[in-house]
Amino acid sequence: MAHSVAIRGSFFHLVDNPWTLGSEEAAAARLISDGLMLIDNGIITALAPYDTLCDKLSDYRLEHIKDKLIVPGFIDGHIHFPQVRVMGAYGSQLLDWLQNSIFPEELKYRDRNYAQTAATHFFEALLGAGTTTCQAFTTSSPVSTEVFFEEARSRGMRVIAGLTGIDKFAPEEYCISPEDFYIQSKQLIEQYHQRDRCLYAITPRFAVGCSEAMMEACRRLKEEFPDCWINTHISENPSEIRQAKQEFPDCSDYTAVHEKHGLLGPKFTAGHGVWLSNDEFGRFSKAGAAVCFCPLSNLFLGSGLFRLGKAMDPDQPVRVCLGTDVGAGNAFSMIRVMEEAYKVGLCNNTTLDGSINPREQDLEESNRNKLSAYRAFYLATLGGAKALYLDDTIGNFEVGKEADFVALDLKAGQHALAWHQELTCDQGMPTTVQQAAELLFGLLACGDDRNVAETWVFGKRVYQCEARA
Ligand code: GUN
Ligand code: ZN
């Protein structure tokens, strides 16, 4: 039987890239302040002002979401499912942190029960934060990958994930041989890729943990399954980069490791990219590959400040998504990620006073580092979808896309936001795109998952904040 639902409410979404519009960036967004969205079997079939569509209502179950701003579901481009229990581990940078806190925990995910308990918590945390799609790492055990996909399927979510390839640098019992990785990945691709809303990413963890043979296994998989995604880490931390250079002495830089093995291209995403050179940014751009900016993690592990302004160079634009990178990221909330991305942008804005410019960025690059509400919400929704080559199905409210969205409470009991809203709008809710952007900036600066009132996946409500349920 057809499942038809109509949502009445206030809708805000991005339809264009704000970086390309200069001072006209508001033109990248749309606000339909009293709108009606028609959803049939999970797909958006119409969105327009309520008055112009309400004659269709007899065929739909109506849900009126009052006093909330409805935005597309957030897209987390880089997250680790098996790190949910070890978020906030004290005291070290990447390589020590992996050895001391991460590999021992991820090893436990060979146990299906252990993995299942974590999966329930992981997906509840995602949906409670308003994240409806993620690209996730699992572990080197197929058990964890199966549990991840089954849990996502049971919730109807669009996800990308894959078995982690790692055959060195980690404890022996955590490593997987290239041959086993190839066989298990192939089985998992056949079982889950394009099943319901699941998509498969071939996942070489990072160059330090992958031998030449492991990278060759990834190449073989990509050649046999060209439709699959590739997910990895790149140039996150100076010690890691030094070690990667030693492991792949014939590669001129980190990006060359992926070029050499035929992986850099469309549907390739690398987390971090904090220390990518100008030349590497140029090669990412040409290849259509994406970088995932993970500010919570980059700050938590002291990895550095990502050059968003360089990635957004109009002469060689790189696809960029945002990610929490839980558990190096210390929150599930993409609102918090936007907040930290804004702060990193300002710290990176070294030419603001015209004097210090350690990274030799020009003034335009420097200005492109700075997030506005339009830019931030673009990256967390449509921009993230484009980076992941998913913008044909998610990222905004265009007709034909999948109905994943979040109802944001613009104040949620937080005084700073309530005052902000009062000062910005007489009516309480925004009536112009500019007002909505002003409120959304306040929300990203002062808000978090408390502001997520409801989360909907494929036309179904899957989370409602307890205070409002
Ligand atoms: N590089 C390789 N593995 C990891 C990981 O689990 N987290 C982060 N932040 N970087 C990595
Ligand atoms: Zn990561």
Side-chain angles (χ1 to χ4, degrees):
M1 208 183 87
H3 175 82
S4 300
V5 60
I7 310 291
R8 182 176 185 181
S10 188
F11 295 86
F12 177 91
H13 66 145
L14 276 298
V15 294
D16 204 349
N17 178 348
W19 273 274
T20 63
L21 298 174
S23 58
E24 305 297 316
E25 64 176 0
R30 298 283 181 275
L31 175 74
I32 303 152
S33 53
D34 182 16
L36 191 64
M37 177 189 275
L38 304 182
I39 303 168
D40 292 278
N41 294 319
I43 304 296
I44 299 168
T45 47
L47 174 62
Y50 178 82
D51 291 342
T52 65
L53 264 187
C54 56
D55 57 329
K56 302 267 192 305
L57 270 177
S58 57
D59 298 334
Y60 291 84
R61 176 173 63 81
L62 178 65
E63 291 272 353
H64 192 174
I65 302 179
K66 293 182 186 147
D67 303 322
K68 309 286 180 295
L69 194 57
I70 301 171
V71 302
F74 299 132
I75 298 170
D76 186 337
H78 185 114
I79 189 165
H80 294 258
F81 152 55
Q83 295 176 12
V84 59
R85 289 175 168 104
V86 284
M87 290 167 73
Y90 175 73
S92 41
Q93 287 205 347
L94 176 66
L95 298 181
D96 287 343
W97 172 82
L98 284 171
Q99 295 286 0
N100 299 334
S101 303
I102 299 306
F103 296 139
E105 170 65 12
E106 292 196 6
L107 190 55
K108 299 176 189 165
Y109 283 66
R110 296 181 293 190
D111 176 343
R112 196 171 291 275
N113 289 333
Y114 192 85
Q116 183 55 56
T117 309
T120 307
H121 179 73
F122 177 85
F123 280 96
E124 279 174 6
L126 276 183
L127 294 170
T131 300
T132 50
T133 284
C134 67
Q135 175 166 246
F137 290 79
T138 62
T139 72
S140 53
S141 160
V143 168
S144 70
T145 315
E146 287 163 15
V147 166
F148 177 90
F149 278 128
E150 290 302 337
E151 191 66 26
R153 288 182 66 215
S154 77
R155 294 167 192 265
M157 289 171 69
R158 185 161 285 291
V159 293
I160 308 173
L163 181 73
T164 297
I166 182 165
D167 64 338
K168 57 184 195 180
F169 184 70
E172 206 180 323
E173 62 274 31
Y174 185 73
C175 289
I176 179 169
S177 72
E179 197 47 33
D180 281 350
F181 173 74
Y182 170 79
I183 293 166
Q184 303 283 3
S185 297
K186 195 169 164 159
Q187 268 177 19
L188 288 161
I189 291 168
E190 282 160 357
Q191 201 175 346
Y192 290 111
H193 184 54
Q194 303 284 12
R195 185 160 180 206
D196 298 333
R197 299 179 76 201
C198 297
L199 301 166
Y200 197 88
I202 300 156
T203 308
R205 187 169 191 143
F206 66 151
V208 169
C210 294
S211 67
E212 188 70 42
M214 180 60 84
M215 295 304 291
E216 278 304 309
C218 292
R219 178 211 294 276
R220 208 171 141 201
L221 287 164
K222 181 66 179 171
E223 281 171 1
E224 282 174 45
F225 302 96
D227 181 42
C228 281
W229 276 249
I230 311 263
N231 189 23
T232 189
H233 297 85
I234 202 164
S235 293
E236 177 175 0
N237 168 289
S239 306
E240 174 218 10
I241 296 164
R242 263 195 303 279
Q243 204 155 319
K245 273 199 180 129
Q246 282 168 13
E247 306 290 345
F248 293 90
D250 57 331
C251 293
S252 57
D253 54 33
Y254 210 136
T255 301
V257 176
H258 297 292
E259 290 169 328
K260 179 183 172 194
H261 298 97
L263 302 181
L264 196 80
K267 295 188 174 178
F268 171 102
T269 314
H272 308 285
V274 172
W275 302 100
L276 289 174
S277 66
N278 287 353
D279 195 62
E280 287 175 291
F281 273 112
R283 280 143 60 206
F284 263 72
S285 173
K286 229 180 188 161
V291 181
C292 186
F293 177 16
C294 305
L296 287 171
S297 162
N298 294 344
L299 297 177
F300 188 77
L301 293 181
S303 301
L305 308 178
F306 177 65
R307 294 169 63 194
L308 181 61
K310 183 68 202 167
M312 292 302 171
D313 185 340
D315 294 332
Q316 44 176 42
V318 174
R319 291 165 189 256
V320 176
C321 48
L322 293 178
T324 57
D325 193 28
V326 160
N330 53 328
F332 274 85
S333 170
M334 292 298 289
I335 297 173
R336 292 281 318 282
V337 170
M338 290 189 264
E339 173 201 349
E340 298 300 290
Y342 169 76
K343 292 176 183 169
V344 167
L346 279 200
C347 288
N348 237 347
N349 218 323
T350 47
T351 46
L352 275 182
D353 70 356
S355 55
I356 335 160
N357 195 355
R359 281 184 144 180
E360 295 183 0
Q361 56 184 346
D362 60 30
L363 183 61
E364 282 172 12
E365 177 183 333
S366 182
N367 289 337
R368 288 192 302 265
N369 281 320
K370 184 171 149 187
L371 286 187
S372 61
Y374 301 107
R375 289 175 171 188
F377 277 82
Y378 172 75
L379 290 181
T381 58
L382 183 61
K386 281 186 194 285
L388 299 178
Y389 288 79
L390 292 178
D391 52 310
D392 55 337
T393 50
I394 55 170
N396 67 9
F397 296 141
E398 271 168 27
V399 167
K401 291 201 183 183
E402 296 164 350
D404 292 347
F405 57 86
V406 191
L408 295 173
D409 182 338
L410 294 169
K411 38 192 193 294
Q414 292 130 301
H415 292 306
L417 288 173
W419 286 323
H420 206 90
Q421 187 169 13
E422 227 167 75
L423 290 175
T424 308
C425 323
D426 318 328
Q427 315 290 325
M429 288 298 289
T431 52
T432 64
V433 160
Q434 288 81 359
Q435 277 183 353
E438 199 168 321
L439 290 174
L440 287 171
F441 188 78
L443 180 109
L444 81 81
C446 305
D448 51 40
D449 42 4
R450 285 173 294 176
N451 297 89
V452 173
E454 298 183 18
T455 305
W456 289 62
V457 164
F458 213 50
K460 293 195 174 132
R461 187 193 284 112
V462 290
Y463 168 79
Q464 188 162 26
C465 177
E466 263 171 34
R468 281 170 284 261

